[in-house]
Amino acid sequence: MSSIRILSDRVANQIAAGEVIERPAAVIKELVENSLDAGATRIEVEFRHGGRSYMRVEDNGKGMSKDDALLSLERHATSKIVETADLDQLSSFGFRGEALPSIASVARFEMQTRPAAAVVGTEVVINGGKLIHVRECGLAPGTRITVTHLFNAVPARRKFLKSDATESAHIIQAVRLYALACPQTAFTLIEDGRVFFQSPVCLTLQERVAEIFGRQLAADLLAVETMEEGLKLTGLIGRPGVSRTARHEMITFVNRRPVDSRTLNYALIESYATTLAKGRYPVAVLFLELNPAEVDVNVHPAKREVRFRSEGQVRGFVIRAVLQKLRETGHAAPVAPDQIPNPNTQIPNTNSQFPISNSQTPTPNFQLPAPAPSLPPVAPPAASFSVPPFSVYRAPPAVILSTTASPFAVPRTLALTGWRFLGTAHGDYALFESPAGLVVVDRRAAHERVWFERLQGQFARNELASQRLLFAIPVELDAIGSALLLDRLDWLAKHGMEVGEFGRNFFRIEAVPSWLEPEAAEDFLRDVIGLIRDGQLDEKNPRLAEEELARLAAQKAVRLPESTNETDALALLARLFACTQPHTSPAGRPTHFELSRGDLAKRFQR
Ligand code: ADP
Ligand code: MG
């Protein structure tokens, strides 16, 4: 029996493990990377209970001799780099030599491995960093690593694990990323004894996307391939109009490595800025290839962050490539001036998987397509029509005081005395004559404000007016979405939306809040999941969560009535003035402004 003490420094490894191995998905990521580095053309991943009880990664790669197998468990043992200079030329996933010893220090770790040339394989078993045994074993060429009882000896870490459903969603997402990165390797993913997906060797990325994300998404994507001065971009991007509320389907790779890159994310968001509604994100699976010396991947072991030596060049290149494709497709919508991305716009740093820091928003250094021709510019008015923080006019006192039972039922008795509806301009703006002058109302903004406060009130009073649907609406979600939704079904039901689970990742919307059109229910549900994913509907802060839900509903789900007759227009105005914050929409846009009689007189030099 061997007496090698290969893991003398258990503590050091457990500490390193804290960095590298934060959750079961990190173990899977490291093992799958090793299999790919070993040249595997077939990888099978199996896990149980979100990975906490059992994980196995098996490959048909090059395997290890007994000596190498033992060496691989030493800290900083790697066959992949010799000197730091090699880091520049790195083409493998791993290079730190930390993963295996780290995993072995915080779990029971069993490795069977055999190079094709050897007749027998080697089995090494380690438990919590202690070598249990090394012996010969039989197996086909390749490597099988089984990790059980993760974090058993490190209760502090175990405590931080989320529900099995959430942990397994992370594992599934990780395996998907590598399956996308390497379509030529066959992947099988088995969860709790059931095959979750199984993709044979694929010739193209499209095929792989269809295999693991479904034909629907594959059909919504356009192929991109562009080269320029040492940069190559290939992959798939969403057709204009295909969008998500969160950025988790903006999947990017640099030199085949799944990455989280501010530069690439911004480039994508900017490219689509003209065709996407506010708060929506594009869908893309993009591969950037460039000289490894131009990328720094060594930012953090567990994170996917990368930095480019010339951020500006990469950014410009990606934007040009994507815009070019969108234009070729002929779908690129004309740019309205107010849609030109504002470099100061803050993109919320909400997605934990692809965090983007707000601190240093890069300035765009690219050309946007020319704005669509519009009316000749009108000379700016001499008087400034700024929105007065507190308007010079006052809503009739009757409205302000009518906050009895339901503040939103506009009392019949209410008359906006002295107000006249003059009509609408450009569809969106309602014009009124007021006793004090002229008032222009942005109907959309006013409607959003009214509904926002109305819904907040309903939520606060626990008023749940919900309508059962005659035909339930089926919705298919991805694994993470499903896991997140499952945790919040009760909460949603409490807010009028009843969703039932019927099969893995399949749900049925059975009842919707009375304000929601059934046709809009699926989109709304997806938007809600996007918010949950971004941490904006945190259960621990129910008041804020309800506010976010009300904001989303007011903006996206409650339809603005088409009708603009006098009665409706005045009713909207009266309801707006009854709001606690009538001056801005829930998103902070002004709802109206007034041109006083004094302003008018001044402009006409009376
Ligand atoms: P790194 O990947 O950073 O080199 P790891 O700790 O992940 O470090 O792996 C250590 C070494 O073990 C690798 O460099 C490789 O030589 C070997 N190895 C690990 N997994 C496999 C595998 N599945 N097949 C063949 N060799 C492997
Ligand atoms: Mg590795």
Side-chain angles (χ1 to χ4, degrees), residues 337-373:
D338 65 335
Q339 285 178 314
I340 292 175
N342 176 349
N344 299 319
T345 302
Q346 299 240 319
I347 298 186
N349 173 17
T350 44
N351 186 313
S352 58
Q353 196 189 355
F354 296 123
I356 289 193
S357 137
N358 287 329
S359 50
Q360 4 160 318
T361 310
T363 319
N365 54 356
F366 61 95
Q367 283 278 298
L368 280 159

Side-chain angles (χ1 to χ4, degrees), residues 106-118:
V106 292
R108 183 184 154 92
F109 176 97
E110 212 177 297
M111 170 159 78
Q112 281 118 4
T113 183
R114 181 192 143 193

Side-chain angles (χ1 to χ4, degrees), residues 215-222 237-239 242 244:
R215 308 266 149 207
Q216 176 59 47
L217 180 64
D220 277 344
L221 298 172
L222 303 164
I237 58 171
R239 291 176 190 283
V242 178
R244 300 288 185 266

Side-chain angles (χ1 to χ4, degrees), residues 34 38 59 63-64 72 77-80 94-101 143:
N34 282 347
D59 65 56
M64 284 175 270
S72 74
T78 174
S79 56
K80 297 166 195 173
F95 55 87
R96 288 191 180 76
E98 276 180 345
L100 294 189
T143 302

Side-chain angles (χ1 to χ4, degrees), residues 104-182:
S105 74
V106 292
R108 183 184 154 92
F109 176 97
E110 212 177 297
M111 170 159 78
Q112 281 118 4
T113 183
R114 181 192 143 193
V119 269
V120 287
T122 305
E123 177 178 287
V124 184
V125 176
I126 293 172
N127 195 0
K130 272 206 273 259
L131 183 63
I132 305 295
H133 70 239
V134 181
R135 62 180 173 219
E136 290 187 346
C137 70
L139 89 156
T143 302
R144 176 195 303 141
I145 291 179
T146 313
V147 175
T148 49
H149 309 298
L150 181 65
F151 298 143
N152 251 15
V154 205
R157 295 208 70 80
R158 209 172 163 81
K159 225 174 45 206
F160 280 105
L161 294 180
K162 299 277 187 318
S163 69
D164 283 2
T166 300
E167 295 301 338
S168 79
H170 281 278
I171 292 178
I172 291 163
Q173 178 74 355
V175 178
R176 273 180 170 164
L177 289 180
Y178 288 96
L180 288 172
C182 307

Side-chain angles (χ1 to χ4, degrees), residues 575-603:
R575 291 194 176 105
L576 177 66
F577 291 160
C579 287
T580 50
Q581 293 181 43
H583 300 291
T584 52
S585 76
R589 288 199 298 120
T591 51
H592 62 281
F593 69 82
E594 178 174 49
L595 219 46
S596 71
R597 286 164 86 161
D599 290 335
L600 289 167
K602 227 183 278 154
R603 285 179 65 84

